[in-house]
C-alpha cells in the first residue's frame, strides 16, 4: 500500500503531475463556486471549447499554448458578454453559436496540419503526466493570479452574484465585475487544459462546487468543500491514472462525478434520501 | 449579461442613452408636476425645487416641513424603458427629503422602473434625474435598494447575517473585510427588525415576512439617506407589515427618505403619508388622504376598480404575491447546529 502511494513520487513527472492536478483542482474549485451560483456552467463549457483554436494556432507557430488558448478564450468570453448585451437573443443561444463556431475553427485549422492526429488527444483530454516544469510554473503563476483576484474581491463578487440590482444600486460596477469574472473563468480554463483537456475542464469547474452545494447552505463552506474535493480528486485521480494506466483527466473527473453522486444520495441538504419534514436536521449550519 | 437577472444592467449600458448633466441647478424644474389637471387636486403635490436653491415660503404646515429640506429625488420629463418599450413616459416628480412615499399602480405601470431609474440601474432615454443632489449612481453609497422578493434566489447559500452585511460592503470597500463597526451595525439592524435569532439561518428557510425583514435589515445596516424598496410589504403578514412600516416611519423622522412601491392600495393608503399614482406616467402625487379619490384610482387602474359605499376597493388582477413556496416553517438556531 505504502509502495503504491510512494511509487509516483519516485518520478519527477509524477511529482509534477500531482502538483499540477492539485493546483488545477484548487483554482477550478474557487472559480467554480461562483460560476455554479451564477448559472454559468454552460458558459464554462463554451469558453473551454473556444480556447481550442488558440491552442492549435500556438501549436502551429510554436508559441505558448497558454497564451494562444488564453487569447481565444478571453476573446470569446468577452464576445459572448458583448453580443448578449446588444442582440435580442437569449444568452444560451449566443453561447451555443460562438462555442461551436470557435471549436469548428480549431478543428479546421488542426485538420490542415499534416499527420495531425498526434497531439490532438492531449489537447482534448489532457495529459497531466506529460506536464513540463515550465508549464507547471506558468500554471502556478496564472492560477495564483486568479486566486488573488478572487481573494481581493470575493465579497463584491458574492454581492453581484446574489443580488445584481442591489449591488449595482449601492455603487458596485456590476458590469465590470461580470466581465472580470468571465476573464477569470477563461484564465482558469486555459491553465487547466494541460491537466484535463478542453472537453473535461468544465467538470473541474462545475462538479466540486455543485457537490458542495448539496452539502452546505453557506457560501464560505461551499467554497471550502469544493476546494477539498478539487484538490483531493486531483491527487487521487493522478494515482488512479498511474496505477491503472488510465487517462489522467478522465480519472480526476470520474472521481469527482462519483463524489457528486455520493453526496446526492447521502447529502443532508438536497440529497435524495432527505425527507421533507426532516429538512431542518443538518441544513443551514 | 448572461444571467437574465442582469437584464437591466444590459439596458443601463446602452450607449444611446442620453447623458445626464452634472449640474443639478441647470434645468428649471416645473412646480407641481404631478397633477395633470389642477382641479382634481386642490392640495398640490410636493413642489419640485432644484437642490441648492432658495425655497419659496408656501403651502401648509405639511409642505413646509418638507420644504425645509432639499428634494431628495427630482425627475424631470423622464422617459425610460427596456429595449424599445417605454415603461415610463414623461415623468416629472420631486420627492422631498424625509418623505415616506408609496408608489402604487397596476403591474406593468412602471413602479419598478421608477425605482431603477432613481437607483441608477436604468439610464433614462430622455429627461433629467437628480438623486441626493447628484446624477443617479453618483451618491450610490447613500442609497439602499431592496429588490422584489421574487427576484431573489432564495436557495442561494447565504445566511441572514451574510445578506445583511452586504449592506455594509460599499462602506467597507474593496479588498477589505467587515470590521467591528460593521458587525455592530449588522447586529443592530437585525435587532431592529426582530431577526437577531435568525442571523445564521439560510434565507430560503425563512417565512415570507422574515425574508422582507432580513432585506430591510440589509438596507438599515447601510444607513442610507434614501431607501428604494420594491414591494417591501407585499404578501406579508399584518404584524410584519406594521413592524416594517413603524421602522420606516422612524427613519423618515431621522430625515431619511423612503420610496416604496406597492400594488396594494390599502397598504399605500393606510401606511404612507404621501402617494404617487403611476401608470406609465404620473396620475397623481400628493398626500394620500387627499390624492386617493375615485377619479385618480380609476385612472391609475383603468377598469379594474370597484367602488363600494364610497370607499374604493381595488380589484387587482395581479396575485403573484410573495409566497414562500411550500416551506413556511420557522427554524430556530440551536436546534440544528
Amino acid at each position: 500500500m505504502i509502495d503504491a502511494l510512494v511509487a509516483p513520487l519516485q518520478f519527477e513527472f509524477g511529482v509534477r503531475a500531482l502538483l499540477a492536478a492539485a493546483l488545477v483542482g484548487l483554482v477550478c474549485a474557487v472559480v467554480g463556486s461562483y460560476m455554479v451560483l451564477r448559472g454559468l456552467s454552460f458558459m464554462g463549457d463554451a469558453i473551454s471549447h473556444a480556447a481550442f483554436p488558440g491552442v492549435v494556432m500556438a501549436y502551429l507557430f510554436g508559441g505558448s499554448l497558454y497564451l494562444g488558448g488564453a487569447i481565444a478564450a478571453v476573446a470569446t468570453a468577452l464576445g459572448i458578454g458583448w453580443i448578449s448585451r446588444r442582440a435580442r437573443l437569449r444568452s444560451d443561444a449566443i453561447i451555443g453559436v460562438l462555442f461551436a463556431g470557435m471549436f469548428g475553427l480549431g478543428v479546421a485549422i488542426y485538420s490542415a496540419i499534416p499527420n495531425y492526429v498526434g497531439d490532438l488527444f492531449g489537447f482534448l483530454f489532457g495529459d497531466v503526466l506529460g506536464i513540463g516544469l515550465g508549464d507547471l510554473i506558468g500554471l502556478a503563476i496564472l492560477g495564483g493570479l486568479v486566486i488573488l483576484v478572487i481573494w481581493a474581491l470575493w465579497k463584491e463578487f458574492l454581492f453581484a452574484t446574489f443580488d445584481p440590482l442591489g449591488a449595482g444600486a449601492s455603487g458596485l460596477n456590476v458590469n465590470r465585475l461580470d466581465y472580470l469574472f468571465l476573464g477569470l473563468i477563461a484564465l482558469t480554463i486555459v491553465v487547466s487544459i494541460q491537466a484535463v483537456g478542453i472537453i473535461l475542464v468544465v467538470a473541474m469547474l462545475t462538479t466540486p462546487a455543485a457537490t458542495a452545494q448539496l452539502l452546505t447552505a453557506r457560501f464560505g463552506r461551499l467554497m471550502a468543500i469544493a476546494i477539498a474535493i478539487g484538490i483531493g480528486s486531483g491527487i487521487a485521480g493522478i494515482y488512479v491514472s498511474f496505477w491503472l494506466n488510465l487517462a489522467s483527466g478522465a480519472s480526476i473527473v470520474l472521481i469527482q462525478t462519483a463524489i457528486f453522486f455520493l453526496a446526492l444520495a447521502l447529502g443532508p441538504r438536497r440529497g435524495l434520501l432527505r425527507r421533507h419534514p426532516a429538512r431542518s436536521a443538518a441544513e443551514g449550519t | 449579461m448572461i444571467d437574465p437577472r442582469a437584464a437591466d444592467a444590459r439596458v443601463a449600458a446602452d450607449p444611446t442613452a442620453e447623458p445626464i448633466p452634472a449640474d443639478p441647478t441647470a434645468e428649471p424644474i416645473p412646480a407641481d408636476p404631478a397633477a395633470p389637471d389642477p382641479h382634481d387636486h386642490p392640495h398640490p403635490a410636493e413642489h419640485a425645487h432644484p437642490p441648492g436653491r432658495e425655497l419659496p415660503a408656501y403651502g401648509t404646515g405639511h409642505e413646509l416641513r418638507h420644504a425645509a429640506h432639499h428634494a431628495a429625488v427630482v425627475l424631470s420629463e423622464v422617459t425610460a424603458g427596456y429595449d424599445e418599450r417605454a415603461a415610463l413616459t414623461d415623468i416629472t416628480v420631486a420627492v422631498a427629503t424625509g418623505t415616506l412615499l408609496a408608489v402604487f399602480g397596476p403591474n406593468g405601470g412602471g413602479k419598478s422602473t421608477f425605482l431603477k431609474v432613481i437607483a441608477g440601474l436604468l439610464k433614462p432615454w430622455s429627461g433629467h434625474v437628480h438623486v441626493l443632489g447628484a446624477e443617479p449612481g453618483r451618491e450610490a453609497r447613500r442609497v439602499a435598494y431592496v429588490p422584489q422578493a421574487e427576484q431573489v434566489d432564495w436557495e442561494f447559500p447565504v445566511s441572514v447575517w451574510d445578506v445583511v452585511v452586504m449592506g455594509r460592503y460599499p462602506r467597507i470597500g474593496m479588498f477589505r473585510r467587515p470590521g467591528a463597526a460593521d458587525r455592530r451595525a449588522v447586529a443592530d439592524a437585525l435587532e431592529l427588525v426582530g431577526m437577531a435569532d435568525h442571523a445564521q439561518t439560510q434565507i430560503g428557510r425563512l417565512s415570507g415576512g422574515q425574508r422582507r425583514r432580513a432585506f430591510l435589515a440589509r438596507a438599515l445596516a447601510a444607513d442610507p439617506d434614501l431607501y428604494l424598496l420594491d414591494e417591501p410589504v407585499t404578501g406579508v403578514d399584518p404584524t410584519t407589515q406594521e413592524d416594517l412600516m413603524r421602522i420606516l416611519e422612524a427613519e423618515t423622522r431621522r430625515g431619511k427618505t423612503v420610496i416604496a412601491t406597492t400594488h396594494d392600495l390599502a397598504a399605500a393608503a393606510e401606511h404612507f403619508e404621501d402617494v404617487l399614482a403611476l401608470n406609465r406616467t404620473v396620475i397623481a402625487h400628493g398626500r394620500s388622504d387627499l390624492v386617493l379619490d375615485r377619479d385618480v384610482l380609476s385612472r391609475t387602474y383603468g377598469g379594474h376598480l370597484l367602488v363600494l359605499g364610497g370607499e374604493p376597493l381595488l380589484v387587482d388582477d395581479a396575485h403573484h404575491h410573495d409566497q414562500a413556496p411550500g416551506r413556511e416553517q420557522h427554524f430556530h438556531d440551536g436546534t440544528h447546529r
Side-chain angles (χ1 to χ4, degrees):
Chain A
M1 183 63 195
I2 303 282
D3 286 347
L5 287 176
V6 171
L9 302 176
Q10 290 164 339
F11 305 95
E12 222 173 283
F13 75 86
V15 175
R16 281 201 303 265
L18 281 169
L19 281 173
L23 257 172
V24 166
L26 167 68
V27 178
C28 282
V30 168
V31 173
S33 296
Y34 286 101
M35 199 184 85
V36 165
L37 290 175
R38 288 186 160 222
L40 291 179
S41 302
F42 186 46
M43 182 76 174
D45 204 18
I47 293 174
S48 63
H49 284 76
F52 187 50
V55 172
V56 172
M57 292 289 276
Y59 174 79
L60 201 58
F61 297 110
S64 158
L65 300 188
Y66 282 137
L67 189 66
I71 291 171
V74 171
T76 307
L78 300 185
I80 291 168
W82 189 81
I83 292 172
S84 57
R85 269 163 210 279
R86 274 154 191 84
R88 264 200 275 168
L89 283 170
R90 282 177 55 97
S91 56
D92 62 333
I94 296 164
I95 291 170
V97 169
L98 287 192
F99 145 34
M102 287 296 276
F103 196 63
L105 180 65
V107 172
I109 298 170
Y110 208 93
S111 65
I113 304 171
N115 310 318
Y116 65 87
V117 188
D119 294 315
L120 186 61
F121 192 84
F123 289 150
L124 294 183
F125 304 110
D127 181 20
V128 76
L129 294 175
I131 197 166
L133 187 61
D135 287 337
L136 185 61
I137 292 170
L139 196 168
I141 291 172
L142 291 176
L145 183 70
V146 170
I147 302 264
L148 200 69
V149 171
I150 295 219
W151 178 81
L153 295 174
W154 76 267
K155 66 184 196 316
E156 283 74 18
F157 278 129
L158 184 66
F159 198 0
T161 302
F162 173 61
D163 179 9
L165 292 177
S170 75
L172 284 185
N173 192 326
V174 175
N175 284 349
R176 207 179 295 169
L177 284 171
D178 282 352
Y179 276 120
L180 180 60
F181 188 67
L182 288 181
L184 292 179
I185 293 180
L187 213 55
T188 304
I189 284 167
V190 168
V191 302
S192 308
I193 283 177
Q194 175 95 43
V196 288
I198 281 165
I199 308 282
L200 294 177
V201 65
V202 68
M204 295 291 289
L205 283 160
T206 310
T207 311
T211 307
Q213 228 183 328
L214 296 173
L215 298 174
T216 182
R218 294 296 293 275
F219 182 71
R221 273 168 230 180
L222 188 156
M223 193 181 273
I225 293 172
I227 288 170
I229 294 172
I231 294 177
S233 63
I235 292 170
I238 296 302
Y239 276 106
V240 167
S241 163
F242 196 82
W243 294 331
L244 304 180
N245 201 21
L246 297 174
S248 55
S251 304
I252 296 169
V253 167
L254 281 176
I255 288 170
Q256 291 181 347
T257 312
I259 298 172
F260 173 82
F261 279 106
L262 206 64
L264 190 65
L266 306 175
R269 184 157 143 74
R270 296 179 202 177
L272 296 176
L273 299 184
R274 185 204 73 216
R275 272 169 299 164
H276 279 270
R279 192 181 173 87
S280 66
E283 197 186 345
T285 51
Chain B
M1 66 168 70
I2 303 93
D3 186 325
R5 286 175 300 172
D8 298 302
R10 171 172 53 212
V11 181
D14 183 2
T16 62
E18 280 206 12
I20 294 153
D23 180 6
T25 61
E27 192 77 6
I29 283 110
D32 190 19
D37 181 354
H39 298 294
D40 286 337
H41 310 288
H43 294 260
E46 309 297 336
H47 285 254
H49 53 273
R53 194 175 281 187
E54 203 60 50
L55 293 163
Y58 60 75
T60 63
H62 171 80
E63 282 164 348
L64 277 178
R65 185 158 55 80
H66 291 317
H69 303 276
H70 301 311
V73 173
V74 180
L75 278 76
S76 175
E77 293 168 0
V78 167
T79 296
Y82 311 90
D83 293 328
E84 279 134 47
R85 188 180 61 83
L88 292 174
T89 308
D90 197 24
I91 302 288
T92 297
V93 75
V95 182
T97 301
T99 305
L100 183 60
L101 176 72
V103 180
F104 77 98
N107 283 326
K111 300 188 296 293
S112 296
T113 309
F114 182 75
L115 287 192
K116 283 172 189 164
V117 167
I118 296 170
L121 296 168
L122 183 67
K123 278 218 172 76
W125 297 348
S126 63
H128 303 296
V129 184
H130 298 120
V131 178
L132 302 174
E135 56 191 279
R138 183 62 60 85
E139 294 290 335
R141 285 177 193 189
R142 295 167 61 201
V143 177
Y145 175 92
V146 172
Q148 271 180 53
E150 58 261 45
Q151 286 179 324
V152 174
D153 173 9
W154 295 105
E155 288 296 318
F156 203 91
V158 284
S159 69
V160 169
W161 195 91
D162 296 333
V163 169
V164 177
V165 79
M166 286 177 189
R168 303 293 297 177
Y169 282 2
R171 282 168 187 273
I172 298 168
M174 297 196 179
F175 309 111
R176 296 174 48 212
R177 301 290 184 258
D182 301 306
R183 287 168 191 285
R184 212 176 309 119
V186 171
D188 290 347
L190 285 173
E191 193 67 45
L192 196 56
V193 300
M195 290 288 285
D197 292 342
H198 296 278
Q200 299 304 317
T201 309
Q202 195 269 331
I203 54 168
R205 295 166 53 227
L206 302 172
S207 70
Q210 289 172 326
R211 292 174 179 192
R212 299 323 285 168
R213 287 171 188 264
F215 269 80
L216 182 64
R218 187 181 82 179
L220 290 165
D223 192 25
D225 292 324
L226 175 62
Y227 290 86
L228 302 173
L229 313 171
D230 208 348
E231 303 279 359
V233 294
T234 300
V236 302
D237 56 284
T239 316
T240 297
Q241 205 172 91
E242 294 290 338
D243 285 353
L244 298 188
M245 289 314 304
R246 188 173 38 74
I247 293 166
L248 291 175
E249 279 161 21
E251 286 299 295
T252 58
R253 282 196 296 277
R254 292 174 60 214
K256 316 289 187 179
T257 308
V258 178
I259 303 179
T261 65
T262 179
H263 63 257
D264 181 352
L265 184 61
E270 191 183 349
H271 296 297
F272 292 83
E273 58 184 18
D274 287 270
V275 293
L276 175 70
L278 206 59
N279 190 356
R280 304 248 165 185
T281 190
V282 174
I283 305 295
H285 177 205
R287 282 182 52 175
S288 51
D289 52 342
L290 302 172
V291 164
L292 289 176
D293 60 28
R294 191 180 163 174
D295 175 55
V296 163
L297 295 177
S298 76
R299 282 193 290 138
T300 307
Y301 288 98
H304 305 281
L305 194 69
L306 191 66
V307 180
L308 288 175
E311 286 291 311
L313 180 78
L314 182 64
V315 182
D316 197 341
D317 48 2
H319 290 292
H320 67 287
H321 288 200
D322 157 41
Q323 305 284 344
R327 55 181 95 95
E328 287 283 348
Q329 310 109 297
H330 300 195
F331 301 95
H332 296 275
D333 288 336
T335 61
H336 56 84
R337 295 305 298 258

